[in-house]
Amino acid sequence: MYTADLTMGAEQFLSFLSPTVVWGFFAGMSILLGIVSIALIYHWVSYSYKRPKVIQAAGMYIVGLLGLLGIAAYFTQELIALLS
Amino acid sequence: MDTLDTNEKVQYVARKHWIVMVLRMSGLVIIAALPFLAYHVIPYFFAFTITPSWELVLSFVYTFFLALIWMMLFATWTDYYLDMWLITDRRVIDIEQRGLFSRNIAHVRYENIQDVTIEISGILNTLFGYGVVHIQTAGTEKEFTMKHMAAPHEVQSHIMQEVKRVHTKVQQVHIPDR
């Protein structure tokens, strides 16, 4: 069995991170996801033929995305707490 | 929907079979699951220490990765859902969504339709009942084709019904008075 110790790698990697970098990454990703989400929802509303299906899809999409961003926000806070 | 003329009614909406979307999405689902599986399977073959801080960093990155995959899943659904043929009372409108920022719309009036043929070949096509529908026209664009069309026989039948109705109407108008 191959044994590897990643503890040294983790410490080196974490030394490059700071709360600003972590928050910046979170904000950047959120903005990117937000922009593409607006484009997606715009397409559904403008071009689809049946509204009920669009509303269902948009609802599912927004709930899923917000859920994942919520989890990401939690890990962001935990990471910042670790770095502080 | 601004593609339709005033008083134009949509009789039937034809789309690709859902299996096409599912096959594309399954690739994304597998990619999403790979890091999770790797995290749980690799320790059986390699013994390595992951500190809590590494776990936190990996979880942080993985969550954003999942958010991107979630977005790509819905982009795939958008591509599938907005690709359609609208069979109206005047014409067939071929709407082709290419990704998010590209859309191609073409139409053919029933007066210009010469023939509608369907082609179902392959195991999946036969089992799930989807295939290629070709519309041969007398217009500038000689042929309209949609691959992986769901219920191709129904699509053919709807179009031919409208073509027959329009041609009958045209013949009635052209019968000279005696």
Side-chain angles (χ1 to χ4, degrees):
Chain A
M1 229 190 204
Y2 178 74
T3 306
D5 186 358
L6 296 178
T7 51
M8 287 301 293
E11 298 311 316
Q12 275 177 340
F13 181 73
L14 285 173
S15 67
F16 292 117
L17 295 181
S18 68
T20 317
V21 169
V22 174
W23 271 121
F25 182 78
F26 177 79
M29 286 300 291
S30 302
I31 290 167
L32 172 70
L33 290 166
I35 290 169
V36 180
S37 302
I38 290 167
L40 272 176
I41 294 169
Y42 170 78
H43 272 79
W44 297 339
V45 168
S46 300
Y47 300 130
S48 76
Y49 178 62
K50 277 189 182 163
R51 281 294 153 93
K53 205 139 197 178
V54 162
I55 292 166
Q56 257 178 19
M60 261 177 65
Y61 175 72
I62 289 166
V63 165
L65 191 67
L66 288 177
L68 285 166
L69 283 177
I71 295 169
Y74 166 75
F75 284 126
T76 306
Q77 281 190 319
E78 290 291 307
L79 198 53
I80 286 169
L82 182 77
L83 294 169
S84 308
Chain B
M1 204 185 201
D2 57 2
T3 324
L4 299 173
D5 289 339
T6 321
N7 299 324
E8 189 175 3
K9 291 192 184 85
V10 175
Q11 316 281 34
Y12 188 81
V13 179
R15 286 195 172 88
K16 294 187 182 183
H17 199 277
W18 55 263
I19 192 91
V20 173
M21 178 188 63
V22 166
L23 286 172
R24 283 185 198 160
M25 282 183 168
S26 57
L28 286 170
V29 169
I30 289 167
I31 290 169
L34 277 176
F36 181 79
L37 290 172
Y39 180 78
H40 288 279
V41 168
I42 288 175
Y44 286 103
F45 302 98
F46 302 100
F48 56 83
T49 317
I50 295 184
T51 58
S53 51
W54 245 141
E55 266 198 31
L56 190 55
V57 171
L58 290 173
S59 305
F60 173 71
V61 174
Y62 186 54
T63 315
F64 283 110
F65 176 71
L66 284 180
L68 280 171
I69 297 283
W70 182 250
M71 192 185 67
M72 285 165 75
L73 282 171
F74 275 86
T76 308
W77 179 79
T78 305
D79 197 27
Y80 156 81
Y81 191 69
L82 296 184
D83 246 2
M84 55 182 146
W85 274 3
L86 294 178
I87 298 166
T88 75
D89 54 351
R90 297 176 196 179
R91 53 189 171 143
V92 175
I93 305 171
D94 175 11
I95 301 171
E96 196 184 331
Q97 183 75 28
R98 293 178 189 156
L100 273 188
F101 301 105
S102 174
R103 195 170 162 82
N104 189 38
I105 301 173
H107 69 102
V108 56
R109 298 193 78 87
Y110 294 123
E111 294 87 348
N112 294 335
I113 292 177
Q114 292 177 327
D115 196 16
V116 181
T117 53
I118 60 173
E119 198 186 310
I120 301 176
S121 64
I123 298 170
L124 278 180
N125 299 42
T126 310
L127 281 176
F128 288 98
Y130 66 93
V132 186
V133 179
H134 302 275
I135 298 177
Q136 275 166 322
T137 80
T140 328
E141 202 159 328
K142 294 292 170 197
E143 196 176 74
F144 284 76
T145 300
M146 192 184 273
K147 295 182 186 175
H148 313 297
M149 178 77 83
H153 294 283
E154 253 183 68
V155 174
Q156 185 189 39
S157 162
H158 275 278
I159 296 173
M160 290 314 292
Q161 223 173 331
E162 291 299 318
V163 168
K164 192 176 168 183
R165 181 183 61 80
V166 166
H167 285 172
T168 309
K169 203 171 161 188
V170 167
Q171 280 170 3
Q172 281 173 350
V173 167
H174 284 152
I175 290 171
D177 290 330
R178 287 189 182 174

